[in-house]
Amino acid sequence: MKVLVVGGGGREHAIVWKLKQSPKIDKIYCAPGNAGISKDAECVHIGAMEMEKLIAFAKEQKIDFTIIGMDDPLVAGIVDAFEAEGLKVFGPRKNAAVIEGSKAFSKELMKKYGIPTAKYEIFDDYDKAKAYVLSQPAPIVVKADGLALGKGVLICQSHDEAVAALDEIMVDKKFGKSGNKVVIEECLSGPEVSVLSFCDGKTVVPMVSAQDHKRAYDNDEGLNTGGMGTFSPSRIYTKELNDECMKTIFQPTVDAMAEEGRTFVGILYFGLMLTKDGMKVIEYNARFGDPETQVILPRLKTDLLDIMEHCVDGTLDKINIEWDDNACVCVVLASGGYPVEYKKGYEITGLEEAEKDKNIVIFHAGTAIKDGKFVTNGGRILGITALGKDIDDARETAYAAVDKVNFEKKHFRHDIGIKKY
Ligand code: AMP
Ligand code: GLY
């Protein structure tokens, strides 16, 4: 089979790397891909939002199966566009991807179907939003309704901060149209866990759990980023919690979407928080997480393409999905200054040396090739990923490899996988 993966970050590198192990696949293309992905797939110079070009390419090359990695094209309806041309594609349609594309939609869904989440109100009027914020105790959470590159959530410690957040989102339109509406939520506390799942519209199969580290610096200090590292499994997510979530969150969400005529097929990502009142949904995503995917897929024993085909065919209950009983840690190497301001084009050394360890795999996020050498080409550059018998073992292996890979102004967190919860 010929497969096309749409996207070009560390997540898509992990997807391509896993697909490469499938005996069913003869050829993998990735659009647009990146320099690291080009070692494992043929990269095609088409952007993830260039739907017509992607469809023309898929037809020309007789692609059998296309996998959409990123949120923007899903929310914009790329799956509907591929299906309209008779092309087989993995991901939710536009009317289901809205579960990530609109936080107001996802909150209303949870309220209607009794799925546990933080209390909230939705506003499209600035004055009413401000009056509400001032009537609530701080801290308070202000969220832009639409996609905002993971930066549209502001945890406000005071009323002044919350009003400033409303100004940024609704008046200055920092996130464009995504800020036409805001969701204002009570601030919950507790450890967080990401549980991604495979869905065929009826059946939902959770994957092994993971934990992200969103802040730029050690001890969760600094600005929020796209993710500075992950580990799997989460230390808090027991089998009992998984059973509870299956009953109160996972199956109810998939059933609710079907009931609403928005059948969800693809990867449904549950961002969860273990509060004193039990597990609650913080957010949904309609795709694989980045960098969660980098620690989840290396633990998957079953053929990824097989699972995805069962999702699209509506037969997910007919496949047994198996995981290794090990652990995985991914440390992101970023450009100094990320997520605010950083330079590109520095040479990267030590990749081959680091990958000599058979427990290490390096997923590329923001690299380019210049004069035959890898150079930095973004904020997040690489995900140094290690397998081990447990998290401490994997962490040790990962950091030993981190020391071998170098570029100017290399920045990373030293505490990935250390959290005891
Ligand atoms: P999101 O972009 O929705 O994943 O939100 C980013 C982060 O904001 C989450 O991972 C949480 O750490 C935090 N967050 C979001 N909503 C809440 C909430 N209601 N209470 C506390 N923290 C929250
Ligand atoms: N790591 C969080 C996300 O992919 O949204």
Side-chain angles (χ1 to χ4, degrees):
M1 282 176 71
K2 282 182 171 182
V3 174
L4 168 66
V5 177
V6 175
R11 161 183 52 210
E12 286 77 18
H13 195 183
I15 293 171
V16 163
W17 172 86
K18 183 67 198 170
L19 290 171
K20 231 180 125 183
Q21 298 166 10
S22 171
K24 295 168 96 173
I25 301 181
D26 307 302
K27 175 98 188 171
I28 308 175
Y29 295 93
C30 189
N34 64 39
I37 293 176
S38 69
K39 293 186 301 177
D40 296 317
E42 185 173 327
C43 292
V44 188
H45 293 290
I46 305 177
M49 290 298 278
E50 296 184 283
M51 291 189 204
E52 279 170 24
K53 286 190 187 168
L54 289 169
I55 287 171
F57 177 82
K59 284 181 168 174
E60 256 164 47
Q61 297 298 324
K62 300 198 166 41
I63 301 292
D64 298 292
F65 198 82
T66 298
I67 298 158
I68 312 300
M70 297 172 66
D71 45 6
D72 303 80
L74 288 169
V75 170
I78 194 170
V79 168
D80 310 58
F82 267 68
E83 285 180 346
E85 299 291 332
L87 295 163
K88 211 161 185 188
V89 57
F90 179 82
R93 292 184 188 146
K94 185 176 180 172
N95 75 351
V98 68
I99 199 167
E100 170 168 5
S102 166
K103 291 190 192 294
F105 170 84
S106 72
K107 296 298 285 192
E108 299 283 53
L109 185 86
M110 288 186 269
K111 185 190 264 180
K112 181 168 171 189
Y113 290 90
I115 297 163
T117 189
K119 289 203 192 70
Y120 71 98
E121 291 292 335
I122 298 168
F123 297 93
D124 56 12
D125 179 279
Y126 174 83
D127 291 328
K128 287 187 181 145
K130 185 171 168 183
Y132 178 74
V133 152
L134 295 175
S135 74
Q136 295 299 304
I140 187 159
V141 182
V142 179
K143 301 183 172 182
D145 174 48
L147 296 181
L149 296 170
K151 302 193 175 75
V153 174
L154 299 154
I155 314 281
C156 307
Q157 298 303 331
S158 65
H159 284 144
D160 284 352
E161 269 184 44
V163 172
L166 288 177
D167 286 344
E168 260 182 42
I169 296 174
M170 299 186 90
V171 182
D172 306 341
K173 295 274 182 212
K174 187 170 173 195
F175 308 110
K177 278 196 297 196
S178 290
N180 287 354
K181 268 190 214 168
V182 288
V183 176
I184 300 175
E185 281 184 19
E186 67 172 326
C187 190
L188 301 175
S189 63
E192 289 182 55
V193 50
S194 307
V195 180
L196 283 61
S197 68
F198 294 107
C199 296
D200 72 353
K202 309 179 291 289
T203 302
V204 48
V205 181
M207 304 183 204
V208 288
S209 61
Q211 186 165 337
D212 194 4
H213 298 66
K214 289 200 165 119
R215 302 292 199 97
Y217 302 115
D218 291 3
N219 302 315
D220 291 335
E221 286 174 15
L223 291 174
N224 258 330
T225 69
M228 291 300 295
T230 34
F231 61 86
S232 171
S234 147
R235 293 183 198 263
I236 57 147
Y237 194 71
T238 57
K239 180 170 181 314
E240 289 69 34
L241 276 179
N242 188 62
D243 291 346
E244 178 195 319
C245 289
M246 195 67 192
K247 278 196 222 118
T248 59
I249 295 174
F250 305 156
Q251 193 66 55
T253 301
V254 172
D255 292 347
M257 290 297 278
E259 177 75 25
E260 294 289 309
R262 299 173 182 274
T263 306
F264 193 99
V265 176
I267 304 296
L268 186 50
Y269 168 134
F270 300 90
L272 306 170
M273 190 181 271
L274 182 56
T275 70
K276 60 178 178 10
D277 304 315
M279 276 290 201
K280 294 199 178 178
V281 177
I282 291 288
E283 64 159 346
Y284 291 115
N285 292 317
R287 43 144 184 104
F288 273 112
D290 191 341
E292 284 90 342
T293 310
Q294 289 88 317
V295 288
I296 291 172
L297 291 185
R299 302 186 59 209
L300 175 63
K301 288 208 265 190
T302 312
D303 187 319
L304 179 61
L305 181 68
D306 250 352
I307 305 173
M308 289 178 161
E309 286 188 293
H310 276 87
C311 290
V312 173
D313 295 341
T315 54
L316 191 56
D317 57 336
K318 301 281 186 297
I319 183 170
N320 185 27
I321 300 175
E322 290 185 302
W323 300 92
D324 270 318
D325 185 21
N326 55 1
C328 195
V329 171
C330 171
V331 180
V332 169
L333 301 190
S335 300
Y338 172 78
V340 184
E341 208 181 357
Y342 49 83
K343 291 209 175 98
K344 299 179 183 178
Y346 297 119
E347 184 183 340
I348 304 168
T349 58
L351 290 168
E352 266 180 42
E353 185 58 30
E355 281 192 300
K356 275 184 189 156
D357 185 329
K358 65 174 181 10
N359 287 314
I360 288 286
V361 46
I362 300 182
F363 296 120
H364 291 233
T367 62
I369 293 177
K370 198 173 150 203
D371 304 329
K373 290 177 180 149
F374 283 113
V375 295
T376 64
N377 192 38
R380 289 186 298 169
I381 308 299
L382 300 161
I384 310 281
T385 309
L387 283 164
K389 64 178 179 348
D390 53 31
I391 288 172
D392 292 338
D393 182 33
R395 190 181 69 233
E396 233 172 77
T397 308
Y399 278 105
V402 163
D403 283 342
K404 292 179 189 151
V405 178
N406 286 301
F407 51 86
E408 234 174 276
K409 305 217 166 63
K410 172 174 103 172
H411 165 67
F412 61 95
R413 279 182 58 160
H414 304 77
D415 59 350
I416 306 299
I418 285 182
K419 267 190 188 164
K420 288 294 175 228
Y421 57 77

